[in-house]
Amino acid sequence: MSENALEPNHMNEWKLSDETRFETKLVSETDEAGFAAAARALAEGEVVGMPTETVYGLGCDARNPEAVARVYEAKGRPSDNPLIVHVASKETIPQLVSDITPVARVLIDAFMPGPITVIMKKSSVIPDCVSAGLDTVGIRFPIHPVAQALIARSGVPVAAPSANLSGSPSPTKSEHVMKDMNGRIPYVVEGGECQVGLESTVVDATGNWPQILRPGAVTMEQMEAALAAAGMTKPETVVALESKPEEAPRAPGMKYRHYAPSCEVHILGTGDFTNYEEYYKEAVERELIDEKTPVGLFVSESIAAEIRVLFEDRLDKILFYTYGETADVEAASHHLFDGLRLLDEQGAQVIFAPAFPKEGLGVAYMNRLEKAAAENVKKKEPAKESRRVLFVCSGNTCRSPLAEAIMKSLWRDSAPHHMLGRPDVEAELAVSSAGVATSDGRFYTRYSEEIAEYEYNVDISKERSTQLTEALLAEQDLVVCVTDDHSHYLRSQYPEYTKRVFSFEELLEEFHIEGIDGHIADPYGREYEVYQKTASQIDRVLRAVFPEILKKWEMT
Ligand code: TXA
Ligand code: MG
């Protein structure tokens, strides 16, 4: 994987499920029937968008591995990142964990319900897919009344990551969730704007003193005060965490791209607010000169007012998102993700946001903002994600080279492509072909080459036939055989790759496309017109399945 690739290719297994397409309904707690249906869906293994006081979550039954798999699928994130388990009462906690340390006990008593996630040793109720192989689980008891009502009503412990697509800022309004998850989940429950606006404090409480893995609204000072009030003092040696599986870093989520809009984000100032007007003014001036506009400002009301006066004649090049008073860290935190999303959506080429002192809630605010800004480096070189398609026939001289050429032309003619919901991630497709009964290095038939060149403007004349091997098969995301005989043969020879092998006919069936003939006869040894007919048949099939394949791979 290249540095820029955002995450492993979790869609490697070509598995199509129509159940994953929904008409997403936004329901509120006052809509008795809708709310009950959302709670029921949650209990029955579906994924539901849930408000909390920090950010919206994508909830599912934490005990149900299939439901958990749906969460990862909806989010578009690999499954090596543990999920937090949400409860609606403290009484539920003991069945989910195997040990509540004295530190954990104090944190639960002092801060739950509230914006904190306490990591404890897990019980056997929590499947491995929730803990991503760790022997611990993060427990969170949100204070948001709608979250509590939904969890209680569903009757299940609710595993939930933030409800954004992997890579975009966490959602703090139901409309953010609707935007990211539309069609991917059946329900989003309305809960208004999230009060805190930043994700919970994640704290490891398996040792003899809390260790913050992700800063949030509950601060280290507050935790130490609560521990002190309970008569506990910081031990001489803070016991480190127990050893964890090697591949699983302690807060695995931190290694993924988070919180970042697709444009560059820059932090202004150092946390003392004395010169902030000046900083904003300079930044805007610079970007206007560089023509990196519109410039997005995440800014206080008062500074925005000054900037509006100063740049009166160029206001069409400046986008404002105001969060409140200049030094109000609660307001800035509450609005940060909404601000980043909105400015990004409005087309900002660059966003400026103020630094806050790294104390109290400022630690969490700066943690998220610095992560967003750290993405700038990657943005300079566009990230890429790629998929591979292989066409297979017998000799790899007639039909599969034609299919290869046609697929390449379809891709080229509909370019540029990017990953769905991640306009900054370029999508790549590698198309090749091979034969099950050929020897390496034979020429493609001349007619296939000519049709590829004259009708599709694709040069395959330098390519030679390739013998299909298991290694080649293993690299592919999708293998399309020209006939059912070929696909049956491949599946029987290489059962491991069954899910990615299709014939033309099977592919049409998979996508419920009717009225197109997927049987492609071998034109070998026949005249040019027969090859042309073969090409137009392949063309018809590929044109029909192409958009579906892109959809499946989340490419647009
Ligand atoms: O405020 C929040 O915490 C939101 C709302 C929906 O509750 N949830 C949230 O979940 O932010 P998520 O999945 O986006 O982030 C959870 C973070 C990840 O960085 C994950 O790696 C870490 O918590 N985490 C979860 N369980 C863990 C565990 N057992 N050990 C270490 N880190 C864990
Ligand atoms: Mg998240």
Side-chain angles (χ1 to χ4, degrees):
M1 292 277 3
S2 78
E3 268 281 70
N4 284 324
L6 299 181
E7 49 213 27
N9 179 5
H10 59 287
M11 287 218 148
N12 219 351
E13 284 305 321
W14 178 267
K15 189 167 143 277
L16 301 174
S17 51
D18 276 337
E19 310 113 64
T20 56
R21 295 199 191 110
F22 297 98
E23 213 177 283
T24 308
K25 291 197 197 71
L26 180 63
V27 300
S28 75
E29 201 191 357
T30 50
D31 161 13
E32 187 41 44
F35 190 72
R40 203 176 323 118
L42 203 44
E44 288 171 356
E46 292 296 349
V47 178
V48 173
M50 167 180 84
T52 82
E53 70 277 21
T54 56
V55 300
Y56 276 75
L58 268 189
C60 74
D61 180 353
R63 302 162 312 182
N64 179 345
E66 281 169 29
V68 174
R70 290 197 184 103
V71 165
Y72 288 120
E73 190 176 345
K75 223 177 134 64
R77 122 171 158 189
S79 54
D80 63 347
N81 199 6
L83 299 180
I84 294 172
V85 177
H86 299 69
V87 297
S89 74
K90 290 185 190 176
E91 288 71 59
T92 333
I93 299 174
Q95 67 204 60
L96 304 171
V97 301
S98 61
D99 181 30
I100 300 181
T101 62
V103 167
R105 172 55 56 210
V106 171
L107 298 181
I108 291 169
D109 288 344
F111 301 107
M112 286 192 186
I116 190 170
T117 298
V118 177
I119 294 180
M120 292 169 268
K121 286 264 188 280
K122 79 179 188 75
S123 79
S124 58
V125 171
I126 304 295
D128 275 350
C129 56
V130 167
S131 58
L134 301 173
D135 59 355
T136 55
V137 63
I139 302 291
R140 171 149 146 67
F141 177 5
I143 199 165
H144 196 297
V146 178
Q148 293 185 359
L150 182 69
I151 300 165
R153 184 75 169 260
S154 74
V156 301
V158 175
S162 50
N164 51 298
L165 279 176
S166 185
S168 59
S170 291
T172 54
K173 293 177 172 173
S174 61
E175 64 203 65
H176 299 158
V177 186
M178 288 300 283
K179 184 150 191 295
D180 277 16
M181 292 299 145
N182 199 14
R184 294 169 162 257
I185 60 176
Y187 296 101
V188 174
V189 176
E190 178 60 70
E193 280 185 36
C194 301
Q195 204 51 42
V196 178
L198 302 178
E199 304 88 343
S200 63
T201 304
V202 176
V203 55
D204 191 312
T206 56
N208 60 0
W209 205 245
Q211 291 189 276
I212 291 185
L213 304 184
R214 181 179 71 184
V218 175
T219 64
M220 197 62 191
E221 299 86 74
Q222 290 172 331
M223 288 191 263
E224 295 199 334
L227 290 158
M232 293 169 72
T233 44
K234 188 169 180 173
E236 283 273 303
T237 43
V238 172
V239 174
L241 299 157
E242 305 227 335
S243 60
K244 296 275 154 67
E246 237 181 300
E247 340 51 319
R250 211 163 49 175
M254 307 313 260
K255 81 181 177 202
Y256 293 108
R257 181 192 141 93
H258 264 237
Y259 322 117
S262 59
C263 68
E264 283 179 31
V265 177
H266 294 282
I267 305 173
L268 291 178
T270 51
D272 77 72
F273 294 101
T274 45
N275 286 321
Y276 275 31
E277 297 90 337
E278 198 58 29
Y279 293 146
Y280 274 96
K281 178 171 157 265
E282 282 169 9
V284 172
E285 261 164 8
R286 199 170 52 239
E287 300 306 331
L288 287 176
I289 291 168
D290 288 357
E291 291 182 7
K292 234 181 182 175
T293 58
V295 186
L297 304 182
F298 182 75
V299 63
S300 68
E301 314 273 1
S302 60
I303 296 179
E306 291 182 37
I307 297 289
R308 284 199 179 95
V309 173
L310 279 170
F311 295 93
E312 206 177 14
D313 51 336
R314 281 164 292 175
L315 285 181
D316 57 324
K317 298 198 161 52
I318 308 172
L319 298 166
F320 293 89
Y321 183 105
T322 56
Y323 61 79
E325 303 275 321
T326 305
D328 185 346
V329 70
E330 274 180 36
S333 300
H334 173 85
H335 289 290
L336 180 66
F337 289 151
D338 186 42
L340 294 179
R341 275 182 183 256
L342 207 72
L343 291 169
D344 197 25
E345 271 165 34
Q346 291 172 340
Q349 296 301 300
V350 51
I351 296 175
F352 292 96
F356 274 78
K358 289 185 181 173
E359 59 198 32
L361 184 56
V363 176
Y365 169 88
M366 288 303 287
N367 171 271
R368 306 311 192 273
L369 188 56
E370 281 171 358
K371 270 174 201 301
E375 292 296 324
N376 295 347
V377 186
K378 292 183 199 160
K379 275 165 204 153
K380 301 235 159 73
E381 247 176 83
K384 287 180 183 172
E385 243 183 81
S386 51
R387 297 286 186 273
R388 291 175 168 276
V389 182
L390 178 75
F391 290 98
V392 174
C393 64
S394 303
N396 187 216
T397 57
C398 309
R399 288 170 292 181
S400 58
L402 273 178
E404 175 190 329
I406 294 170
M407 190 72 172
K408 281 178 173 165
S409 79
L410 285 173
W411 178 260
R412 177 198 61 209
D413 295 347
S414 54
H417 297 278
H418 61 83
M419 300 306 291
L420 186 70
R422 291 181 285 160
D424 54 324
V425 185
E426 192 188 327
E428 284 184 324
L429 183 70
V431 188
S432 58
S433 58
V436 292
T438 186
S439 48
D440 282 340
R442 289 168 64 198
F443 288 94
Y444 288 169
T445 50
R446 191 158 50 84
Y447 291 160
S448 287
E449 285 180 4
E450 285 179 7
I451 291 170
E453 184 177 349
Y454 300 143
E455 297 188 22
Y456 296 96
N457 202 10
V458 175
D459 182 7
I460 52 171
S461 67
K462 309 276 180 306
E463 294 177 36
R464 299 291 178 263
S465 71
T466 309
Q467 170 69 44
L468 182 79
T469 58
E470 177 159 2
L472 188 58
L473 202 53
E475 286 175 1
Q476 308 302 321
D477 296 289
L478 172 64
V479 177
V480 185
C481 302
V482 296
T483 73
D484 291 355
D485 286 343
H486 292 94
S487 62
H488 290 315
Y489 171 76
L490 285 194
R491 283 193 293 261
S492 69
Q493 290 296 303
Y494 309 101
E496 210 182 308
Y497 307 109
T498 295
K499 280 184 181 161
R500 66 185 78 161
V501 174
F502 292 83
S503 66
F504 279 129
E505 194 65 24
E506 289 158 351
L507 207 50
L508 289 165
E509 220 169 274
E510 192 68 33
F511 292 122
H512 309 294
I513 299 169
E514 284 164 15
I516 294 179
D517 186 5
H519 296 104
I520 319 284
D522 191 357
Y524 186 75
R526 309 284 300 277
E527 57 272 34
Y528 190 74
E529 288 68 33
V530 177
Y531 275 80
Q532 272 182 317
K533 193 162 156 270
T534 306
S536 66
Q537 256 191 311
I538 295 175
D539 182 295
R540 215 170 303 132
V541 177
L542 289 183
R543 233 167 254 285
V545 296
F546 184 67
E548 301 296 329
I549 293 174
L550 294 197
K551 218 187 276 173
K552 189 62 205 166
W553 284 335
E554 315 204 312
M555 294 174 162
T556 65

